[in-house]
Amino acid sequence: MGYVARLSTEVTPDHVGRRATLRVQLPDGRFRDIVGVLESWRDGVITVRKRDNSVADVTANDVVASRIVPQHPPRRRTRE
């Protein structure tokens, strides 16, 4: 029995401001996952702010799967 990937796209421009994960197909055929808050979706370009505060721009046509994920909980303080 083989493994069958189930890809779905549920993120739309209406989800700007929400946290999402996007699976993007790279030009060489590999895939990359990007997780962050959708900052904008204009003219087919999705802007995502990642956890480290960097920004990734993704072409909507390159997204093969996506979904909304829960907001990231605040970091816990370490004991001193």
Side-chain angles (χ1 to χ4, degrees), residues 8-24:
S8 67
T9 304
E10 66 179 48
V11 175
T12 66
D14 295 332
H15 291 111
V16 169
R18 305 259 325 257
R19 187 167 179 255
T21 180
L22 307 175
R23 176 153 293 169
V24 180

Side-chain angles (χ1 to χ4, degrees), residues 19 37 51 69-75:
R19 187 167 179 255
V37 177
R51 184 177 182 182
V69 294
Q71 292 295 345
H72 191 39
R75 291 186 181 193

Side-chain angles (χ1 to χ4, degrees), residues 33-67:
D33 290 341
I34 300 172
V35 179
V37 177
L38 302 176
E39 293 227 325
S40 70
W41 189 319
R42 292 190 187 130
D43 301 325
V45 176
I46 305 168
T47 302
V48 180
R49 182 161 307 271
K50 298 188 290 185
R51 184 177 182 182
D52 65 359
N53 217 23
S54 65
V55 175
D57 290 325
V58 177
T59 305
N61 291 336
D62 292 338
V63 176
V64 296
S66 63
R67 68 185 182 109

